[in-house]
mmCIF file of all heavy atoms in Angstrom:
data_model
loop_
_atom_site.group_PDB
_atom_site.id
_atom_site.type_symbol
_atom_site.label_atom_id
_atom_site.label_comp_id
_atom_site.label_asym_id
_atom_site.label_seq_id
_atom_site.Cartn_x
_atom_site.Cartn_y
_atom_site.Cartn_z
ATOM 1 N N VAL W 10 117.561 154.418 95.403
ATOM 2 C CA VAL W 10 118.764 154.003 96.229
ATOM 3 C C VAL W 10 118.435 152.780 97.057
ATOM 4 O O VAL W 10 119.226 151.918 97.266
ATOM 5 C CB VAL W 10 119.249 155.138 97.056
ATOM 6 C CG1 VAL W 10 120.378 154.718 97.991
ATOM 7 C CG2 VAL W 10 119.755 156.306 96.201
ATOM 8 N N LEU W 16 123.646 149.438 91.814
ATOM 9 C CA LEU W 16 123.470 149.979 90.455
ATOM 10 C C LEU W 16 123.730 151.437 90.436
ATOM 11 O O LEU W 16 124.300 151.990 89.490
ATOM 12 C CB LEU W 16 122.210 149.597 89.818
ATOM 13 C CG LEU W 16 121.797 148.041 89.663
ATOM 14 C CD1 LEU W 16 120.553 147.954 88.829
ATOM 15 C CD2 LEU W 16 122.922 147.250 89.143
ATOM 16 N N VAL W 17 123.237 152.119 91.536
ATOM 17 C CA VAL W 17 123.499 153.545 91.627
ATOM 18 C C VAL W 17 124.899 153.830 91.688
ATOM 19 O O VAL W 17 125.517 154.651 90.957
ATOM 20 C CB VAL W 17 122.770 154.166 92.944
ATOM 21 C CG1 VAL W 17 123.210 155.565 93.181
ATOM 22 C CG2 VAL W 17 121.243 154.067 92.721
ATOM 23 N N GLN W 34 134.235 136.729 84.052
ATOM 24 C CA GLN W 34 134.744 136.288 82.773
ATOM 25 C C GLN W 34 133.664 135.823 81.774
ATOM 26 O O GLN W 34 133.778 134.788 81.165
ATOM 27 C CB GLN W 34 135.919 135.389 82.910
ATOM 28 C CG GLN W 34 137.046 135.979 83.651
ATOM 29 C CD GLN W 34 138.201 135.097 83.869
ATOM 30 O OE1 GLN W 34 138.061 133.855 83.739
ATOM 31 N NE2 GLN W 34 139.291 135.572 84.362
ATOM 32 N N LEU W 35 132.573 136.589 81.632
ATOM 33 C CA LEU W 35 131.498 136.167 80.841
ATOM 34 C C LEU W 35 131.478 137.087 79.584
ATOM 35 O O LEU W 35 131.645 138.291 79.721
ATOM 36 C CB LEU W 35 130.094 136.303 81.610
ATOM 37 C CG LEU W 35 129.931 135.438 82.780
ATOM 38 C CD1 LEU W 35 128.722 135.887 83.570
ATOM 39 C CD2 LEU W 35 129.797 133.961 82.362
ATOM 40 N N GLY W 38 129.281 140.513 74.851
ATOM 41 C CA GLY W 38 129.310 141.381 73.711
ATOM 42 C C GLY W 38 129.083 142.802 74.000
ATOM 43 O O GLY W 38 129.449 143.252 75.128
ATOM 44 N N ASN W 45 119.076 158.682 76.597
ATOM 45 C CA ASN W 45 118.538 159.726 77.538
ATOM 46 C C ASN W 45 117.420 159.240 78.374
ATOM 47 O O ASN W 45 116.846 158.190 78.106
ATOM 48 C CB ASN W 45 118.367 161.082 76.841
ATOM 49 C CG ASN W 45 117.485 160.838 75.573
ATOM 50 O OD1 ASN W 45 116.641 159.967 75.612
ATOM 51 N ND2 ASN W 45 117.656 161.715 74.602
ATOM 52 N N GLY W 60 120.199 137.411 68.353
ATOM 53 C CA GLY W 60 119.048 138.233 68.887
ATOM 54 C C GLY W 60 119.555 139.107 69.967
ATOM 55 O O GLY W 60 120.736 139.313 70.200
ATOM 56 N N SER W 68 110.146 147.985 89.584
ATOM 57 C CA SER W 68 110.052 149.284 90.244
ATOM 58 C C SER W 68 109.612 149.246 91.663
ATOM 59 O O SER W 68 109.848 150.107 92.455
ATOM 60 C CB SER W 68 109.156 150.212 89.443
ATOM 61 O OG SER W 68 107.840 149.670 89.381
ATOM 62 N N ALA W 70 109.818 146.254 93.669
ATOM 63 C CA ALA W 70 110.721 145.330 94.358
ATOM 64 C C ALA W 70 111.953 145.124 93.466
ATOM 65 O O ALA W 70 111.968 145.348 92.306
ATOM 66 C CB ALA W 70 109.976 144.032 94.497
ATOM 67 N N VAL W 79 114.238 137.640 69.297
ATOM 68 C CA VAL W 79 114.723 137.306 67.915
ATOM 69 C C VAL W 79 113.790 137.891 66.879
ATOM 70 O O VAL W 79 112.588 137.699 66.923
ATOM 71 C CB VAL W 79 114.786 135.801 67.775
ATOM 72 C CG1 VAL W 79 115.246 135.418 66.440
ATOM 73 C CG2 VAL W 79 115.669 135.112 68.808
ATOM 74 N N GLY W 81 112.673 140.821 66.809
ATOM 75 C CA GLY W 81 111.772 141.627 67.387
ATOM 76 C C GLY W 81 110.680 140.922 68.196
ATOM 77 O O GLY W 81 109.912 141.544 68.929
ATOM 78 N N GLY W 105 125.516 130.281 72.168
ATOM 79 C CA GLY W 105 124.887 129.243 71.374
ATOM 80 C C GLY W 105 123.811 128.382 72.064
ATOM 81 O O GLY W 105 123.246 127.355 71.447
ATOM 82 N N LEU W 108 116.895 127.625 73.303
ATOM 83 C CA LEU W 108 115.879 128.061 74.175
ATOM 84 C C LEU W 108 115.623 126.932 75.247
ATOM 85 O O LEU W 108 115.437 127.194 76.410
ATOM 86 C CB LEU W 108 114.554 128.411 73.526
ATOM 87 C CG LEU W 108 114.672 129.669 72.629
ATOM 88 C CD1 LEU W 108 113.307 129.873 71.889
ATOM 89 C CD2 LEU W 108 114.968 130.889 73.472
ATOM 90 N N ALA W 109 115.656 125.710 74.798
ATOM 91 C CA ALA W 109 115.449 124.537 75.742
ATOM 92 C C ALA W 109 116.628 124.501 76.727
ATOM 93 O O ALA W 109 116.375 124.202 77.864
ATOM 94 C CB ALA W 109 115.426 123.267 74.872
ATOM 95 N N GLU W 119 111.325 131.348 80.864
ATOM 96 C CA GLU W 119 110.259 130.591 80.361
ATOM 97 C C GLU W 119 110.163 130.836 78.795
ATOM 98 O O GLU W 119 110.131 131.969 78.332
ATOM 99 C CB GLU W 119 108.908 131.077 81.000
ATOM 100 C CG GLU W 119 107.688 130.390 80.398
ATOM 101 C CD GLU W 119 106.367 130.986 81.031
ATOM 102 O OE1 GLU W 119 106.487 131.927 81.749
ATOM 103 O OE2 GLU W 119 105.329 130.497 80.605
ATOM 104 N N LYS W 122 105.485 130.165 74.192
ATOM 105 C CA LYS W 122 104.917 129.224 73.256
ATOM 106 C C LYS W 122 104.154 129.985 72.147
ATOM 107 O O LYS W 122 103.464 130.958 72.416
ATOM 108 C CB LYS W 122 103.968 128.233 73.979
ATOM 109 C CG LYS W 122 104.688 127.493 75.036
ATOM 110 C CD LYS W 122 105.699 126.534 74.495
ATOM 111 C CE LYS W 122 106.338 125.783 75.627
ATOM 112 N NZ LYS W 122 107.601 125.132 75.217
ATOM 113 N N HIS W 128 93.061 130.206 60.577
ATOM 114 C CA HIS W 128 92.706 130.869 59.297
ATOM 115 C C HIS W 128 91.204 130.670 59.076
ATOM 116 O O HIS W 128 90.679 129.532 59.123
ATOM 117 C CB HIS W 128 93.541 130.282 58.120
ATOM 118 C CG HIS W 128 94.982 130.598 58.252
ATOM 119 N ND1 HIS W 128 95.514 131.822 58.021
ATOM 120 C CD2 HIS W 128 96.018 129.826 58.667
ATOM 121 C CE1 HIS W 128 96.822 131.808 58.195
ATOM 122 N NE2 HIS W 128 97.091 130.590 58.643
ATOM 123 N N ALA W 129 90.505 131.640 58.688
ATOM 124 C CA ALA W 129 89.044 131.576 58.474
ATOM 125 C C ALA W 129 88.740 131.150 57.122
ATOM 126 O O ALA W 129 89.447 131.300 56.190
ATOM 127 C CB ALA W 129 88.365 132.884 58.837
#
Side-chain angles (χ1 to χ4, degrees):
V10 176
L16 302 189
V17 170
Q34 300 178 347
L35 299 169
N45 48 32
S68 61
V79 176
L108 293 174
E119 176 185 4
K122 302 296 181 195
H128 295 284

